[in-house]
Amino acid sequence: MSLLDWLVLCLTLASIIGYGIYRSRRAQNLESYLTGGHSMAWWQVCLSVMATQASAVTFLSGPGQAYTDGMRFVQFYFGLPLAMIVISVTFVPIFHKLNVLTAYEFLEGRFDLKTRTLTSLLFLVPRWLSTGISIYAPSIILSTIFGWDIVSTNLAMGGLLLIYTVLGGSRAVSYTHTQQMFIVLGGMALAGYLVVRLLPGDMGFVDTLRVAGKMGKLNTINWEFNLADRYNVWSGLIGGFFLQLSYFGTDQSQVGRYLGGESIGQSRLGLLMNGIIKIPMQFFILLVGALVFVFYQFEQPPLLFNRAAIETVEHTAEYRELQQQHTRHFSEKKKAVTELSAALKEGNEARIAPLQEQVNTLNKEDAGLRSQAQKLVNAKGGDGNDTNYVFLSFVVEYLPKGVVGLLIAVIFVASMGSIAAAINSLTSSFVVDIYRRMWVRDASERHYVNVSRISTAGWGLLSISVAMYASRVGSLIEAVNILGSLFYGTILGVFIVAFYFRKIGANATFWAAILAEAIVVVCWWLDLTAFLWLNLIGCVALVGIGWLLHLTGMDKKQA
Amino acid sequence: MEDEQEGLPPFVRSWKQLYWLVAANLVALILLFAWFTNAFS
């Protein structure tokens, strides 16, 4: 990186940390430390929930996913607006009126302590693991670019955000989110603009879309109902609805954000605006990836985007042979894509179809070469999956000085936003649901704030330790979502029973949660369905089993 | 009891209307994406 890039990066990070420290004042009691004292306007709530969900993973893996798999991932978010509506109607007023600090606090009043604790643990474990993955995501940027040791990089990444998260709690987290989202969206818009500018002179934005579309990268909609297919309209609407409902309704990292709203109305409006903005934002991030894909039809891409992985195999005869084939394919493909682009401009239908077929055949063959190279890396004990490196590699290689620093800052800032919220939520649940409820019940407010600060630092270090092992989990964005899907369905089921099945009591719900979680894990382990459906399975299983157990009289025995 | 209208944007008269607006926006986006996929494929 140039001096200018370093300057942009350091200034951006310093401004976030400085602002976070400035906003750290006034956290005098546990409520203000964990919820920010209910002071957020709707637009702050909206930006805060968006910043919490959109981590560095979103901006690293998203464009890479569009590069390798097209834009179909956008369907994953179709259930989100519907989930925002249900949460605004049901969850928000209940949580606000009961004035709870965590979502799980509500469960003790409705069921009992063991159900509250179980649900809290079902949240804590996956949230801790996924926070580790979220720390690893920006760390690979540093380690790849500068050749830094990954352990030190993870420690540096986690340490920066801990400065203001430990000091200021939820209030500092929410305020920095606002600043972070402006930087992130501005940076990505600039990247999208520059990709189009870097394309050959005669290629405009619409021409680029036409080429991307003909090469199957603009596949935003698939109407086919297929349980084994990860992303289609139905998995997005139904499976995605349950995942987003669980995530926003029962995951403390999100509940903590909208509990910070100054009223029910402000929290509701923040969530509903998120329901309107989120899908276009995700579409735009994926579109940047599709544009990068078209760019690489005219500039030869590396066979693999992860340079560290290439270094492990580049000396082998097999890799050199693959590299030569890749270079030959590229020349042939570039010629065909140029002709296809010209035919599309002219509207020459007779030429378009055969050229499209030729381009896509060459593309498949090249994908085969990439796959073989990935297998070579895997055989050497490395990680061949380079989805997370595609966008980063493009940024470093082709974007001008200053913009590289800004986009690296975007990745950092996005990461800090989601990790800070996650660590704050881990602290909330641990301190409120476990420490204060079961271990030390009647201490002073100051004691709980201090314990919360220690807990925040502790969860930060635990998450960093998970980050050390995150290199082997493939696409990071999918790993985070799969991890969530394993637990969210069950957690959501507990809340659905609490809100809508008043007759089902604590014992039935508790044992139904354990059995439903076992069913979800078995479905995932045996690979019976795409991961989005696990949310539905967990939720439906819990409600169904809970109802059956209730009919057996389990709850009466408790009474 | 908190005012039910508090926080409501000026272009709608009730929360119910805003919920329908969010749902309608989703339908419009899906239709737009379907057009986008067909137009460029």
Side-chain angles (χ1 to χ4, degrees):
Chain A
M1 281 209 305
S2 69
L3 185 64
L4 181 63
D5 290 322
W6 274 110
L7 204 64
V8 172
L9 175 61
C10 292
L11 281 176
T12 312
L13 295 183
S15 72
I16 297 282
I17 295 163
Y19 188 61
I21 293 170
Y22 169 70
R23 286 289 177 183
S24 298
R25 298 172 305 171
R26 284 195 274 173
Q28 304 296 334
N29 57 40
L30 190 61
E31 186 181 346
S32 69
Y33 187 84
L34 297 181
T35 69
H38 306 294
S39 60
M40 302 291 158
W42 70 266
W43 59 274
Q44 288 170 309
V45 172
C46 176
L47 289 173
S48 192
V49 294
M50 285 177 82
T52 300
Q53 190 177 26
S55 64
V57 169
T58 311
F59 300 99
L60 276 174
S61 278
Q65 194 130 9
Y67 182 96
T68 54
D69 194 34
M71 293 178 65
R72 66 194 191 114
F73 181 64
V74 75
Q75 298 166 110
F76 171 83
Y77 294 95
F78 284 176
L80 186 142
L82 303 176
M84 293 300 101
I85 295 170
V86 173
I87 291 164
S88 295
V89 173
T90 312
F91 291 64
V92 173
I94 290 177
F95 290 157
H96 263 278
K97 280 171 189 166
L98 293 176
N99 200 24
V100 291
L101 294 179
T102 73
Y104 320 111
E105 209 178 343
F106 154 75
L107 294 176
E108 186 172 351
R110 169 65 179 84
F111 298 117
D112 58 6
L113 178 60
K114 69 176 183 297
T115 309
R116 171 185 178 179
T117 308
L118 174 69
T119 315
S120 178
L121 289 173
L122 284 175
F123 159 72
L124 283 170
V125 175
R127 174 48 60 205
W128 162 48
L129 296 175
S130 62
T131 305
I133 295 173
S134 301
I135 289 177
Y136 171 74
S139 294
I140 58 166
I141 298 173
L142 282 175
S143 59
T144 304
I145 294 177
F146 307 111
W148 287 359
D149 168 48
I150 191 73
V151 176
S152 319
T153 316
N154 283 330
L155 282 169
M157 183 63 235
L160 286 177
L161 65 99
L162 282 180
I163 296 171
Y164 64 83
T165 312
V166 169
L167 285 174
S170 183
R171 187 180 169 83
V173 172
S174 292
Y175 273 97
T176 47
H177 276 162
T178 310
Q179 193 187 14
Q180 285 160 352
M181 278 312 285
F182 283 117
I183 295 169
V184 165
L185 294 179
M188 288 306 285
L190 185 61
Y193 169 73
L194 289 173
V195 182
V196 179
R197 285 287 304 273
L198 285 168
L199 285 162
D202 58 338
M203 290 277 289
F205 179 65
V206 176
D207 303 320
T208 312
L209 290 184
R210 283 186 182 137
V211 172
K214 290 294 176 194
M215 296 186 75
K217 297 298 172 186
L218 305 186
N219 50 345
T220 50
I221 291 286
N222 176 11
W223 294 103
E224 190 188 344
F225 184 86
N226 180 357
L227 283 176
D229 183 15
R230 280 189 174 178
Y231 309 116
N232 56 53
V233 171
W234 312 111
S235 69
L237 276 174
I238 305 168
F241 167 74
F242 280 91
L243 174 62
Q244 307 293 351
L245 190 60
S246 321
Y247 175 54
F248 283 93
T250 69
D251 187 315
Q252 182 61 28
S253 67
Q254 285 295 0
V255 175
R257 300 300 96 218
Y258 59 79
L259 278 181
E262 64 187 25
S263 65
I264 293 174
Q266 297 298 313
S267 297
R268 264 183 184 159
L269 189 55
L271 286 171
L272 292 171
M273 292 311 280
N274 177 46
I276 290 175
I277 298 168
K278 179 69 185 179
I279 295 174
M281 188 189 96
Q282 208 60 40
F283 172 87
F284 165 68
I285 292 165
L286 290 165
L287 187 62
V288 171
L291 296 176
V292 169
F293 173 81
V294 176
F295 170 81
Y296 277 125
Q297 304 310 306
F298 298 97
E299 286 287 330
Q300 184 174 350
L303 184 51
L304 293 177
F305 287 91
N306 183 350
R307 280 188 213 155
I310 292 172
E311 281 169 16
T312 63
V313 291
E314 63 186 351
H315 60 280
T316 63
E318 289 154 294
Y319 184 82
R320 282 202 291 268
E321 173 58 27
L322 289 172
Q323 180 62 56
Q324 282 167 8
Q325 285 184 49
H326 173 64
T327 305
R328 280 199 299 275
H329 262 97
F330 172 74
S331 307
E332 213 177 321
K333 197 167 63 164
K334 181 179 175 181
K335 187 167 169 279
V337 172
T338 308
E339 287 176 26
L340 174 64
S341 175
L344 284 165
K345 263 187 180 172
E346 293 161 7
N348 187 345
E349 294 296 332
R351 292 279 295 141
I352 292 171
L355 280 168
Q356 184 182 1
E357 199 180 328
Q358 187 192 355
V359 164
N360 285 331
T361 305
L362 286 166
N363 209 34
K364 269 184 197 160
E365 286 171 6
D366 198 51
L369 295 175
R370 270 173 54 75
S371 172
Q372 285 181 59
Q374 286 171 343
K375 280 178 190 162
L376 271 181
V377 172
N378 291 339
K380 291 275 179 189
D383 180 17
N385 188 325
D386 63 346
T387 307
N388 308 313
Y389 291 81
V390 174
F391 183 58
L392 171 68
S393 174
F394 164 78
V395 166
V396 172
E397 201 75 36
Y398 295 101
L399 293 193
K401 286 176 185 174
V403 179
V404 175
L406 176 67
L407 285 163
I408 301 291
V410 163
I411 304 291
F412 266 91
V413 162
S415 173
M416 287 162 74
S418 61
I419 296 165
I423 290 175
N424 182 248
S425 69
L426 287 167
T427 294
S428 301
S429 186
F430 171 73
V431 173
V432 175
D433 298 317
I434 295 173
Y435 183 82
R436 191 177 70 168
R437 178 64 185 84
M438 296 198 287
W439 296 348
V440 181
R441 297 200 65 165
D442 296 311
S444 66
E445 284 294 317
R446 188 175 175 167
H447 171 85
Y448 289 125
V449 171
N450 287 337
V451 168
S452 296
R453 289 199 168 116
I454 294 166
S455 166
T456 303
W459 281 114
L461 294 175
L462 281 172
S463 301
I464 290 169
S465 66
V466 170
M468 308 300 182
Y469 298 94
S471 62
R472 299 184 172 274
V473 291
S475 169
L476 297 173
I477 197 165
E478 283 193 348
V480 168
N481 288 321
I482 290 170
L483 198 56
S485 297
L486 278 172
F487 296 90
Y488 281 152
T490 307
I491 299 177
L492 177 64
V494 173
F495 279 88
I496 295 287
V497 169
F499 291 141
Y500 300 112
F501 296 84
R502 304 293 300 177
K503 285 185 179 174
I504 304 179
N507 269 350
T509 307
F510 178 79
W511 289 108
I514 289 173
L515 291 170
E517 191 52 49
I519 290 170
V520 169
V521 171
V522 167
C523 287
W524 169 72
W525 190 260
L526 299 177
D527 203 14
L528 295 180
T529 178
F531 75 85
L532 270 176
W533 295 103
L534 296 176
N535 297 283
L536 178 63
I537 291 168
C539 182
V540 170
L542 188 137
V543 175
I545 295 169
W547 187 254
L548 286 174
L549 291 177
H550 166 74
L551 291 179
T552 63
M554 183 174 264
D555 290 321
K556 281 179 190 164
K557 283 173 201 164
Q558 182 193 26
Chain B
M1 190 75 183
E2 196 165 342
D3 179 9
E4 257 299 298
Q5 301 296 100
E6 195 280 324
L8 209 55
F11 52 85
V12 286
R13 274 183 276 177
S14 66
W15 286 106
K16 208 171 178 180
Q17 275 187 10
L18 190 56
Y19 300 147
W20 278 110
L21 193 70
V22 174
N25 180 67
L26 171 65
V27 173
L29 281 173
I30 292 174
L31 293 176
L32 192 67
F33 289 162
W35 169 83
F36 181 77
T37 304
N38 285 332
F40 289 103
S41 64

